[in-house]
Amino acid sequence: MAERAEPVITPALVAGLGVAGFLAALSLGTVAVVAAAADTPGHLGAGDWAALKFTLSQALVSAALSTILAIPVARALARRRFFGRDLLITLLGAPFILPVIVAVLGLLAVYGRGGLISELLVALGYAPLSIYGFRGVVLAHVFFNLPLATRLLLQGWQRVPGEHFLLAAQLGMSTRDINRVIERPILRSVLPGAFATIFLLCVTSFAVALTLGGGPRATTIELAIYQAFRFDFDMGRAALLALMQFAIGAGAAVFAWRLARDGAPGAGLGRVARRWDCAGFAARIIDGAVLAAVSLFLLAPLAMVLLRGVFGLGLLDAGAVTALVRSVIVALMSTALTLGMALVLGTAVARHGAGHMAGWIESAGHLSLAASPMVIGTGLFILLYPLVDPASVALAVTALVNAVMSLPFALRALVPVMRHVQSVEGMLADSLDMGGWARFRLVTWPAIRPAAGFAAGLAAALSMGDLGVVALFADPDAATLPLYLYRLMGSYRMEAAQGAALLLVAVSIMLFRLFDWLGKGA
Amino acid sequence: MLQLAGVEIRQGDFLLAADWRIARGVRLALIGPSGAGKSTLLASIAGFLEPDAGRILIDGHDMRGTPPGKRPVSLLFQEHNLFPYLTVWQNVALGLRPDLKLSADERRLVARSLDEVGLAGMDGRLPAALSGGQRQRVALARALLRDRPLLLLDEPFAALGPALRGEMLDLVRRITDKSGATLLMVTHDPRDAARIADLTSLVSAGQAHAPVPTGELLRNPPAALRDYLG
């Protein structure tokens, strides 16, 4: 009687394929549009090849520094229990939702020409620092990615069964033995994926290069696309650069994907394995110094934004408020789009986890990691240019691009939970013949609600802080708050910019907390 | 040999008290419901957590403040007894020298203990390539090699089938007979206790009761044990 299981076409699968197709069109289709608009090859100038070289070299150095520096930090966090440890781990998550431009302002306030350290140097009779160019771009990237690398490594430590550390203690292993037997295998399994992930994030970075780079020697491809468009209006060159960007992004994404697949996200970071080998004075001093240094590195720029921002708030005019309202509207639209797409893709992937289709659908959700927002923006610009005034749809396009850019992170938060629900309660739901909306509402949603809230919070904060495609589209009178802030910096109104930065970061965090709280609510 | 003098271990609401001693060479089973504190008691004898009150003495020495590596104890966990990136041989050899720099004599000892647990020729395998029973044999070979006077088993055979479990218990009996080690073993199953343990301590309601001869206890179980056995 038993029939062989045939691949079933469910509404969930159809919807998933629909969204996946849309994403493919947006990510790859825009590349095709861009390619069609491109001149014949060979129009890339020396400056463009310099941009390629700069993009790769800064990403390599940033990724290497972030991962190497993260090793002692993660090790200290994994083996020390201390007051404020949870707070520090929360702080390590903060840069992810921190608007890039705010971090840049904070870094300038500490390391810049007029920053704290320069003031001290000048008072002592030395020349002030300058962080524009390669050094500044790498500094900002390490600021963002050292915490990420630390968290990824710490997750590696958390995956080691507690018994192994007890066993090490029982066998009387020294710190060196534990390093060889337990910790080096962790690093071998986590470091390549962390490196590739950070390399990918740095390759596609735009706002950092826009604010701290620039000039012939410190321009990323992403920035070069923007400039080709905005200043030279050279579509062909922009298209070629977009293709180059996509090739590098896709290559790095595939690498990161392969190397980082084992990482089970959502693993708690709270456990501290009790250790008997590193109770000595020297080891404790070293760990303490490492943790103090990383805390200072992360907190000093944030503290400067807070301190100077308070004074700058009074200098903001009505334009800032309008820009804030625009940003919030864009963020809310973008959040709704991200969450909607993530739920559709996640449902399809969870229900059809074993099939090829699910793999394609999940990959489509991550396409934007390879396709940079500038590539998508360029494509959309070319498409829309003959039809409407691009400035008039700038905000809607920004919301859409932001939503697509946040999608990989939303999927990372949601898909494992949705898979888990499917594996635990899926069979029961099947046996009760629960399907469609009832199944989602009664079985899936209650279980994934916290993850969905977190994903929505991420999407909202990322969109709030985005300074990317909006710079390409929006005219000066339709700026979002990050763009408004960038223009304040450009006209050297630094105090007002600090005020806008404080406003931006406060609202970003509030939106993140709001959605996270809604997810966790009763 | 092992003396628990007014030992009390607290973890939040949880309390475990024990006040008894056993002689050298005894094989003792700890039996009782989950969550009663059997594993906690073994962990504190092994030095992973200090009791909140009382003293743990081994051969008359107070163990307070002695780190796990310096105690005359080997503990086998239910799982994760092997480091996954080390071979069978390396996992066993750790028992002699954590830096794995072994002399020729020490190498012979490793080979002999592997032979003893029936794993001769498996030296180069990784734990992932072994069955559950084989993995615990490797852990036993290491305990054998360390030759500590007190062997603690925290249900390392619980996941094995009945026949294999019996086989492993017989192996443990042979090993302890030969070395004269004292054995404490946690179990859920009275048949395990009957198979190997001279004495059994019932752990329930916050108390590790004084050990009594296993046969007697099972023939004439007190109320708490009857409730547990059903």
Side-chain angles (χ1 to χ4, degrees):
Chain A
M1 274 302 284
E3 289 173 33
R4 269 185 67 84
E6 294 289 327
V8 188
I9 307 292
T10 62
L13 185 64
V14 174
L17 285 172
V19 171
F22 173 69
L23 290 168
L26 209 56
S27 302
L28 299 168
T30 49
V31 177
V33 170
V34 165
D39 299 347
T40 47
H43 278 69
L44 291 178
D48 300 315
W49 295 111
L52 172 66
K53 205 176 130 200
F54 178 77
T55 301
L56 294 176
S57 60
Q58 62 81 17
L60 275 174
V61 173
S62 302
L65 279 178
S66 300
T67 44
I68 289 169
L69 293 175
I71 295 172
V73 183
R75 192 172 73 146
L77 279 171
R79 68 186 192 184
R80 300 284 172 204
R81 219 185 290 260
F82 56 92
F83 179 77
R85 182 179 178 276
D86 292 346
L87 201 67
L88 182 52
I89 287 176
T90 307
L91 180 68
L92 290 174
F96 195 77
I97 56 165
L98 188 69
V100 172
I101 187 130
V102 173
V104 166
L105 264 183
L107 289 169
L108 282 172
V110 176
Y111 304 97
R113 212 178 162 75
L116 284 181
I117 296 178
S118 288
E119 277 176 28
L120 190 70
L121 286 175
V122 170
L124 294 172
Y126 295 99
L129 296 175
S130 169
I131 59 165
Y132 286 99
F134 188 87
R135 270 184 295 178
V137 170
V138 169
L139 175 71
H141 282 161
V142 171
F143 178 81
F144 278 104
N145 293 307
L146 170 61
L148 173 66
T150 305
R151 286 175 69 102
L152 289 173
L153 285 179
L154 198 50
Q155 274 175 5
W157 253 276
Q158 304 281 327
R159 281 197 292 271
V160 173
E163 287 93 334
H164 286 178
F165 287 106
L166 299 181
L167 193 54
Q170 177 159 95
L171 297 172
M173 287 188 174
S174 66
T175 302
R176 241 173 114 159
D177 297 327
I178 291 179
N179 180 275
R180 185 171 39 82
V181 172
I182 300 178
E183 294 176 332
R184 244 183 270 165
I186 298 175
L187 296 179
R188 266 203 304 274
S189 76
V190 181
L191 275 182
F195 181 90
T197 304
I198 292 170
F199 180 80
L200 173 63
L201 294 175
C202 294
V203 158
T204 53
S205 153
F206 169 72
V208 166
L210 178 70
T211 46
L212 289 174
R217 287 199 302 172
T219 296
T220 58
I221 301 174
E222 199 70 340
L223 183 56
I225 295 172
Y226 168 78
Q227 288 165 345
F229 242 96
R230 189 102 185 147
F231 303 131
D232 309 335
F233 222 74
D234 185 345
M235 286 219 199
R237 214 176 98 235
L240 279 178
L241 286 165
L243 286 174
M244 189 193 275
Q245 170 72 17
F246 191 85
I248 297 171
V254 167
F255 247 96
W257 181 258
R258 292 214 165 165
L259 293 172
R261 287 223 63 172
D262 66 327
L269 300 175
R271 195 191 70 184
V272 180
R274 185 154 174 222
R275 301 267 296 256
W276 284 262
D277 59 288
C278 50
F281 185 68
R284 280 157 67 170
I285 291 292
I286 290 172
D287 283 353
V290 164
L291 293 173
V294 79
S295 305
L296 190 66
F297 176 61
L298 295 177
L299 279 176
L302 299 178
M304 290 306 284
V305 167
L306 191 67
L307 283 176
R308 296 198 174 167
V310 170
F311 296 107
L313 279 178
L315 299 169
L316 294 177
D317 51 22
V321 179
T322 324
L324 172 66
V325 172
R326 255 185 233 117
S327 275
V328 171
I329 291 170
V330 169
L332 293 178
M333 286 198 291
S334 173
T335 304
L337 283 169
T338 301
L339 198 58
M341 289 190 288
L343 288 175
V344 170
L345 294 177
T347 305
V349 169
R351 295 282 300 272
H352 300 271
H356 289 299
M357 299 268 211
W360 287 111
I361 290 173
E362 197 176 2
S363 304
H366 290 82
L367 272 176
S368 63
L369 282 176
S372 80
M374 278 307 145
V375 177
I376 299 176
T378 310
L380 284 175
F381 190 92
I382 294 170
L383 276 180
L384 293 175
Y385 189 65
L387 303 175
V388 287
D389 174 14
S392 69
V393 289
L395 295 187
V397 168
T398 303
L400 176 62
V401 174
N402 287 353
V404 175
M405 295 314 292
S406 306
L407 193 54
F409 306 107
L411 287 174
R412 206 172 153 73
L414 270 173
V415 168
V417 188
M418 296 184 85
R419 278 216 176 98
H420 182 72
V421 175
Q422 175 66 19
S423 70
V424 174
E425 283 154 321
M427 292 228 259
L428 179 59
D430 282 341
S431 72
L432 296 171
D433 199 23
M434 286 176 88
W437 179 240
R439 181 188 183 118
F440 180 79
R441 192 168 53 88
L442 297 173
V443 180
T444 311
W445 179 249
I448 65 165
R449 191 174 145 163
F454 177 75
L458 276 188
L462 288 174
S463 175
M464 269 308 288
D466 174 71
L467 175 58
V469 71
V470 70
L472 199 62
F473 277 84
D475 63 52
D477 298 324
T480 57
L481 191 54
L483 188 56
Y484 181 84
L485 165 50
Y486 174 61
R487 291 193 178 131
L488 284 177
M489 283 171 75
S491 52
Y492 296 101
R493 291 173 56 197
M494 290 312 269
E495 287 83 6
Q498 305 273 10
L502 182 57
L503 188 64
L504 177 58
V505 73
V507 176
S508 297
I509 291 174
M510 264 162 49
L511 277 180
F512 172 76
R513 296 296 295 263
L514 174 71
F515 281 109
D516 197 33
W517 176 78
L518 284 175
K520 284 176 182 144
Chain B
M1 192 272 161
L2 171 69
Q3 184 184 0
L4 307 174
V7 167
E8 282 183 20
I9 305 164
R10 279 169 218 280
Q11 285 173 343
D13 285 345
F14 170 89
L15 170 78
L16 180 74
D19 191 24
W20 40 261
R21 62 167 72 200
I22 52 172
R24 175 179 304 279
V26 160
R27 284 192 289 263
L28 170 74
L30 297 163
I31 194 167
S34 330
K38 306 182 294 287
S39 300
T40 310
L41 185 61
L42 290 198
S44 84
I45 295 171
F48 297 133
L49 61 118
E50 292 284 356
D52 297 276
R55 295 179 306 156
I56 295 171
L57 295 98
I58 301 178
D59 284 333
H61 297 290
D62 189 346
M63 286 291 120
R64 176 163 294 275
T66 307
K70 302 276 183 227
R71 297 194 179 199
V73 171
S74 284
L75 171 59
L76 264 65
F77 304 105
Q78 189 163 354
E79 51 178 1
H80 302 306
N81 284 299
L82 307 183
F83 294 108
Y85 300 99
L86 301 184
T87 63
V88 165
W89 186 88
Q90 288 172 317
N91 263 297
V92 175
L94 283 177
L96 282 182
R97 296 197 53 148
D99 62 6
L100 292 178
K101 288 172 185 150
L102 268 57
S103 68
D105 279 347
E106 288 170 326
R107 285 169 181 277
R108 270 193 291 280
L109 289 174
V110 173
R112 206 167 68 197
S113 68
L114 275 171
D115 193 31
E116 200 116 8
V117 300
L119 290 180
M122 301 268 204
D123 305 34
R125 297 230 191 150
L126 286 173
L130 301 179
S131 70
Q134 286 172 328
R135 279 200 281 270
Q136 302 302 47
R137 280 175 197 266
V138 178
L140 269 179
R142 180 168 58 214
L144 186 64
L145 196 60
R146 296 185 76 218
D147 195 23
R148 304 281 158 128
L150 190 54
L151 178 60
L152 310 176
L153 304 183
D154 192 358
E155 298 200 83
F157 314 130
L160 308 178
L164 194 51
R165 201 162 75 207
E167 218 173 276
M168 297 299 283
L169 288 174
D170 291 345
L171 176 61
V172 169
R173 187 216 298 269
R174 276 206 307 280
I175 288 173
T176 49
D177 271 345
K178 210 159 148 190
S179 67
T182 308
L183 174 75
L184 260 69
M185 118 183 157
V186 168
T187 182
H188 274 97
D189 191 338
R191 281 170 301 180
D192 288 357
R195 184 161 193 139
I196 182 171
D198 322 310
L199 299 177
T200 295
S201 161
L202 174 64
V203 185
S204 75
Q207 186 92 33
H209 296 273
V212 291
T214 304
E216 218 170 279
L217 185 77
L218 293 178
R219 268 193 305 279
N220 191 11
L225 185 58
R226 275 203 306 277
D227 289 347
Y228 171 64
L229 296 176

